[in-house]
């Protein structure tokens, strides 16, 4: 017992000591210095032991792992294409070589029209997507949070996603004639369901604990939607937006390809149709390539960085 | 049992019962928490502790009986930190300040002050996933304190932590409690933790949950979980708890 009292006050009594000794030992244990620097130091140690710095990989490594593989794949495809062309598997007017397609695009470029054509389609796609965003977000919120609404239109909304939006083109033409309204109607019918469904999926995946925590700190009603529900659903929402863009772009091409009229101007879909009517395969393939490039470009330049940023902030990346 | 007047309580539960369908979870619970008092609710797993805290927090309504919380909406800390992963530690706290109505200009300073209170001075810009388990619970404590509520509800907030970290957080909680004189209703199934922290321990029986017995804990602070006094009272309470559990086996 005496030994217990002469020990430094900070030493913890061992459990077996504790049972054997009586009140005196307890008093000694309780006379530890008031929690202060000692505890702070212990805590700092625990924090340091348990914190892991997350370093981002070096630029060179990122290039090697992320950029090199797709570049190699593209080179491979071009090589196969060129080989098929050189072997004359099909007549040239059916299977032109990569260089012929390049020349067709270069010709359009020198005519000075190509940028206008791309811009026509991109601006339509962007506007249509923007409107779909404004319409799809409240719709998705309603379906996600209001049970009768969900029961009524939830299944229809997910069913609409599997309907190819090109099926709307004839109907839209009958309603709106060969006007811009037709094109936007088709784009919206394609994009709104995927944006709304993405938000519904995002809301469904929210940890209920976060909703309860939000209620506890007083984020209820609209403030709860703004500060807890929407940010918590953001990863699913962004996935929905990405898909919504893909659907906008697809629907737009379908509409431009079918609804052709001088008043509608020349977009990429129209360029494609022009190529078809002149049996100009290099131009057709060039237009397809441009459509593909715009779709991928917007995904890579707009959506991918936003998504990565959101996921990284939440510790969901790697 | 502490006797308090209606005005002088942080929470008053009167004949509270709660059923989920046919299953009665809580039966005739009457508990008062005095302002600034530290009460632990102790009970076996599944006896309805979380249900009771949810009722006091206003996340659910009692089947019968009344719950008064005169000091306004209580703060609640969960077993998991429940911090929002899309915000930094500091912004998590600021959101609670904002919801409480604090003007924007004061929020950053107040969040920094609360982080200092839980000894996380440099953590303002840290993301939740960059913090250790103990640090997350401290940020969660700071966020709960940011509500400036007169009553802090805690639902086994340290159960998922390792023993050393838990021990440290016990000290921190005791210190923060004595510095802020907030009333605490702390739920646990760990008898020693209950005795280590509380001024009063309320033992709940199981199925349905009832108040089986209460103990005033007279052991002066600073206490440690290994103290002989804490151990002695824990043994007594554990015996009672075992008796409660045994009773179920006899039917
Ligand atoms: N929303 C609910 N609907 C139906 N039954 C519920 C609900 N919530 C809790 N219960 C039941 O009430 C009982 C008590 O649950 P509760 O979570 O309150 O226990 P607890 O004491 O917190 O347990 P633990 O120590 O495991 O956290 C359990 O039997 C549980 O199944
Ligand atoms: Mg529980």
């Amino acid at each position: 017992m005496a030994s217990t009292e002469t020990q430094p006050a900070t030493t913890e009594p061992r459990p077996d000591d504790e049972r054997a000794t009586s009140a005196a030992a307890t008093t000694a244990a309780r006379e530890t210095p008031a929690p202060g620097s000692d505890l702070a130091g212990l805590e700092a140690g625990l924090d340091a032991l348990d914190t892991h710095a997350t370093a981002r990989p070096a630029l060179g490594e990122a290039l090697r792992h992320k950029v090199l593989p797709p570049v190699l794949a593209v080179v491979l495809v071009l090589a196969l294409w060129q080989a098929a062309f050189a072997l004359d598997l099909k007549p040239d007017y059916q299977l032109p070589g990569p260089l012929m397609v390049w020349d067709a695009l270069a010709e359009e470029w020198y005519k000075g029209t190509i940028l206008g054509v791309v811009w026509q389609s991109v601006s339509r796609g962007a506007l249509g997507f923007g409107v779909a965003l404004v319409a799809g977000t409240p719709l998705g919120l309603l379906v996600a949070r209001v049970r009768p609404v969900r029961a009524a239109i939830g299944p229809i909304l997910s069913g609409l996603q599997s309907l190819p939006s090109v099926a709307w083109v004839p109907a839209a033409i009958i309603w709106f004639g060969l006007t811009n309204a037709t094109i936007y109607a088709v784009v919206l019918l394609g994009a709104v369901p995927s944006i709304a469904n993405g938000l519904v999926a995002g809301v469904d995946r929210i940890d209920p604990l976060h909703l309860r925590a939000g209620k506890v700190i007083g984020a209820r009603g609209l403030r709860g939607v703004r500060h807890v529900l929407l940010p918590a659903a953001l990863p699913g929402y962004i996935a929905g937006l990405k898909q919504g863009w893909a659907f906008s772009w697809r629907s737009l091409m379908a509409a431009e390809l079918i609804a052709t009229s001088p008043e509608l101007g020349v977009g990429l879909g129209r360029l494609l149709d022009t190529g078809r009517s002149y049996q100009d395969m290099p131009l057709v393939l060039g237009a397809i390539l441009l459509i593909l490039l715009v779709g991928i470009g917007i995904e890579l330049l707009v959506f991918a960085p936003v998504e990565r940023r959101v996921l990284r902030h939440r510790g969901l990346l790697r | 049992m502490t006797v308090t007047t209606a005005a002088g309580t942080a929470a008053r539960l009167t004949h509270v019962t709660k059923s989920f369908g046919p299953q009665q979870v809580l039966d005739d619970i009457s508990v008062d928490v005095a302002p600034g008092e530290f009460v632990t609710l102790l009970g076996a797993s599944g006896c309805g502790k979380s249900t009771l805290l949810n009722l006091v927090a206003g996340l659910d309504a009692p089947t019968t009986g009344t719950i008064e919380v005169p000091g306004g909406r209580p703060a609640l800390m969960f077993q998991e930190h429940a911090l929002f992963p899309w915000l930094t530690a500091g912004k998590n706290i600021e959101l609670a300040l904002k919801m409480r109505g604090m003007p924007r200009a004061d929020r950053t300073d107040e969040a920094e002050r609360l982080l200092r209170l839980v000894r996380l001075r440099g953590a303002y810009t840290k993301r939740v996933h960059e913090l250790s388990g103990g640090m997350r619970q401290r940020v969660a404590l700071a966020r709960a304190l940011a509500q400036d509520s007169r009553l802090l509800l805690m639902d086994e907030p340290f159960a998922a932590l390792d023993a050393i970290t838990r021990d440290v957080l016990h000290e921190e909680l005791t210190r923060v409690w004595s510095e802020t004189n907030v009333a605490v209703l702390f739920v646990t199934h760990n008898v020693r933790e209950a005795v280590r922290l509380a001024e009063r321990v309320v033992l709940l029986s199981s199925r349905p949950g009832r108040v089986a017995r209460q103990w005033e804990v007279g052991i002066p602070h600073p206490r440690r979980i290994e103290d002989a006094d804490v151990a002695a009272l824990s043994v007594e309470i554990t015996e009672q708890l075992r008796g409660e559990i045994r009773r179920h086996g006899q039917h």
Side-chain angles (χ1 to χ4, degrees), chain A residues 7 15-16 29 41 54 56 126 165 174 194 213 242 249-250 266 269 277 297:
Chain A
Q7 273 170 3
D16 46 349
T54 40
R56 293 175 64 173
S165 45
I174 292 173
S194 25
K242 238 164 66 170
W249 190 238
R250 274 190 229 176
V266 182
S277 56

Side-chain angles (χ1 to χ4, degrees), chain A residues 277-298:
Chain A
S277 56
Y278 290 115
Q279 292 277 310
D280 183 352
M281 193 59 170
L283 183 59
V284 168
L285 285 179
I288 291 177
L289 267 182
L290 281 180
I291 294 171
L292 192 65
L293 282 181
V294 170
I296 295 176
I298 301 247

Side-chain angles (χ1 to χ4, degrees), chain A residues 10 12-13 18 21-23 26 29-30 32-37 39-40 42-44 46-48 50-52 54 209-220 223 226-229 231-233 312-316, chain B residues 54 57-59 73-76 78 80 82-86 95-96 98-100 118-120 126-127 129-130 132-133 135 138 143 147 164-165 167-169 171-172 175 192 219-220 222-229 231:
Chain A
T10 47
E12 296 177 12
E18 192 187 340
T21 53
S22 58
T26 327
R30 244 190 283 120
T32 47
S37 58
L39 180 60
L42 179 57
E43 214 161 53
L46 281 172
D47 293 350
D50 219 346
T51 321
H52 16 147
T54 40
L209 187 64
H210 288 147
L211 296 181
R212 292 207 292 148
K215 272 193 196 154
V216 166
I217 64 169
R220 297 173 190 232
R223 297 207 300 174
R226 158 80 183 78
H227 291 292
V228 181
L229 194 75
R312 180 159 33 234
H313 279 174
R314 292 166 196 229
L316 295 174
Chain B
N54 281 342
L59 294 175
R73 190 178 47 239
L76 171 58
F78 303 89
E80 297 88 28
L83 294 172
F84 299 135
W86 55 91
L95 182 59
K98 176 179 179 149
M99 293 298 115
R100 169 188 138 191
V118 296
R119 284 203 244 257
L120 281 174
K126 284 272 193 327
R127 295 269 159 191
H129 66 96
E130 295 170 323
S132 72
M135 294 163 91
R138 270 143 68 203
R143 180 175 74 175
Q147 290 183 247
I164 297 177
T165 308
D167 202 33
V168 167
L169 288 194
E171 273 187 73
E172 288 296 8
R175 179 180 62 80
R192 286 238 185 164
I219 308 167
R223 301 173 192 162
R224 307 204 50 143
I225 206 155
E226 329 64 0
D227 283 356
D229 295 359

Side-chain angles (χ1 to χ4, degrees), chain A residues 165-182:
Chain A
S165 45
V166 66
W168 292 112
V169 178
I173 291 178
I174 292 173
W175 285 330
F176 304 111
L178 291 177
T179 63
N180 266 321
T182 290

Side-chain angles (χ1 to χ4, degrees), chain B residues 20 23 25 44-51 156 189:
Chain B
F20 293 108
Q23 183 196 9
V25 176
S45 213
C47 77
K49 305 183 294 293
S50 300
T51 305
E156 309 194 32
H189 57 236

